[in-house]
Amino acid sequence: MDFRAAQIELDAMDMMIENRRGTPIPNSLPAVIDVLKRRQLAVIRSMSLNQTASDPRTIHVAANLEGAARAALKDVGVAGLVDQLVN
């Protein structure tokens, strides 16, 4: 949902609106916007909990694995990574 557009629309309205019979009732748009914002933030929070890319432990493990891979590549060489055909 485009919250900016909804906020502009809400600013153009009053907090009280009239129903079909002309009875003033509270505008439900602020409550709907609030619920949708809360849901969006909950989704963002749940996605952020599983992100470990910036976790120092993950960075350390990845650096160790990369170092081991570089050492293995240095020992074997690029040609060793490609299967050699046996005649």
Side-chain angles (χ1 to χ4, degrees), residues 1-80:
M1 177 175 186
D2 186 6
F3 293 114
R4 291 181 184 150
Q7 188 63 45
I8 291 171
E9 183 180 340
L10 180 61
D11 292 341
M13 294 182 179
D14 290 330
M15 293 305 289
M16 297 295 285
I17 57 174
E18 291 184 0
N19 64 8
R20 292 183 183 144
R21 290 185 272 167
T23 307
I25 59 172
N27 191 348
S28 61
L29 187 57
V32 171
I33 292 172
D34 184 54
V35 167
L36 292 175
K37 282 184 180 180
R38 289 177 189 267
R39 285 184 183 175
Q40 184 181 38
L41 289 173
V43 168
I44 291 170
R45 269 195 312 274
S46 69
M47 290 169 51
S48 296
L49 290 176
N50 294 329
Q51 291 180 351
T52 58
S54 61
D55 185 8
R57 294 170 293 185
T58 305
I59 293 171
H60 182 69
V61 169
N64 286 343
L65 289 174
E66 185 177 343
R70 287 180 191 266
L73 180 61
K74 187 182 279 187
D75 291 341
V76 175
V78 177

